[in-house]
């Protein structure tokens, strides 16, 4: 949530010392980090170059730009991969073998992921990474220069920033502009997960953040929107602190 890598080399040393399995959760950035590195930006160590890392997960439906839901898991060796499979025979039909707890899955997300990555290729992925990092640098430069906002130092492409105003009012104001930013409660902050956006879209986001902050500095207020998923006691107030999209989705789920 803070946009930073864990210290995988240090964790790897601990795992090796105590004979522990170390899994690197690269679900968000696994299909972005290698190409950010190829684009010339520093990326912390997180993969099998780190002694002690046994497995890595990375979502194709995030920075692989594939439809949901498809992910990957990689293993340091074929020996480690043997722990991946589900095999049991304690039922009436005999031995059951599967590569996942889910059993059957549609092939369409895999086909789509293959097509997208084949179309983009390494050159296309590096260009996406380069454009995302350029936008990050510009956002950091322009928003951090404002007197009522602070941009955090992050790894890779997540943008994390705080504001010197009621964070729920800021979130409400930026929502009125049409942006759905991820909020974080402890401490109150905001996240923007960057991609290769068109220049005009990048301009619009930066300008809208500036306008909402300027309005708050003038004493204007906006309807408050909760930063995270917290329940409050009481029937009608059970969703009081939830983001707007959750408030809209939960009643629909109850009808299913």
């Amino acid at each position: 949530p803070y946009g930073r890598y864990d210290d995988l080399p240090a964790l790897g040393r601990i795992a090796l010392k105590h004979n522990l399995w170390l899994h690197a959760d690269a679900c968000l950035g696994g299909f972005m980090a290698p190409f950010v590195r190829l684009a010339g930006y520093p990326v912390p160590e997180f993969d099998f170059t780190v002694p002690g890392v046994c497995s890595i997960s990375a979502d194709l439906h995030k920075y692989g730009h594939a439809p949901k839901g498809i992910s990957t898991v990689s293993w340091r060796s074929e020996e480690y991969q043997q722990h991946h499979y589900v095999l049991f025979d304690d039922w009436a039909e005999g031995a059951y073998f599967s590569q996942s707890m889910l059993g059957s899955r549609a092939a369409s997300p895999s086909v789509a992921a293959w097509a997208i990555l084949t179309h983009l290729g390494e050159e296309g992925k590096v260009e996406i990474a380069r454009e995302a990092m350029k936008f990050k640098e510009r956002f950091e430069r322009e928003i951090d220069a404002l007197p009522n906002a602070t941009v955090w130092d992050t790894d890779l492409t997540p943008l994390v920033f705080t504001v010197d105003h009621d964070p729920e009012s800021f979130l409400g104001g930026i929502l009125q502009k049409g942006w759905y930013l991820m909020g974080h409660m402890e401490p109150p902050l905001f996240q923007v997960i960057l991609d290769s956006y068109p220049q005009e879209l990048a301009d619009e986001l930066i300008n809208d953040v500036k306008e909402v902050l300027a309005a708050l500095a003038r004493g204007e207020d906006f309807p408050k929107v909760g930063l995270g998923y917290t329940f409050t006691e009481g029937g009608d107030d059970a969703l009081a602190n939830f983001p707007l999209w959750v408030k809209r989705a939960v009643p629909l789920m109850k009808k299913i």
Side-chain angles (χ1 to χ4, degrees), residues 113-208:
W114 175 86
I116 291 168
L117 290 178
T118 300
H119 171 72
L120 291 173
E122 181 178 301
E123 183 178 343
K125 289 291 293 178
V126 171
E127 183 60 25
I128 288 173
R130 183 179 293 111
E131 290 301 313
M133 293 301 291
K134 285 181 179 178
F135 179 27
K136 178 185 179 181
E137 291 173 336
R138 181 186 167 200
F139 188 98
E140 289 177 333
R141 182 174 61 253
E142 295 197 28
I143 301 303
D144 205 41
L146 300 175
N148 51 352
T150 302
V151 178
W152 288 25
D153 184 25
T154 60
D155 299 317
L156 215 58
T157 46
L159 272 173
V160 176
F161 67 100
T162 59
V163 299
D164 298 336
H165 302 283
D166 182 345
E168 293 186 343
S169 292
F170 171 80
L171 199 57
I174 205 68
L175 181 64
Q176 287 187 358
K177 297 282 190 179
W179 299 99
Y180 293 83
L181 302 189
M182 295 176 62
H184 187 267
M185 298 180 65
E186 297 179 5
L189 53 80
F190 308 96
Q191 297 175 335
V192 183
I193 307 301
L194 296 180
D195 211 324
S196 179
Y197 299 127
Q199 183 63 46
E200 57 271 19
L201 192 63
D203 293 340
E204 186 178 350
L205 174 58
I206 291 173
N207 290 334
D208 285 346

Side-chain angles (χ1 to χ4, degrees), residues 5 25-37 43-44 46 56-60 62-64 125 129 155-158 193-194:
Y5 275 60
D25 180 354
C27 282
L28 176 60
F31 280 94
M32 178 63 87
F35 305 103
V36 168
R37 185 176 286 154
V43 175
F46 73 96
I56 304 171
S57 56
D59 287 349
L60 280 160
K62 292 188 175 112
Y63 279 123
K125 289 291 293 178
D155 299 317
L156 215 58
T157 46
I193 307 301
L194 296 180

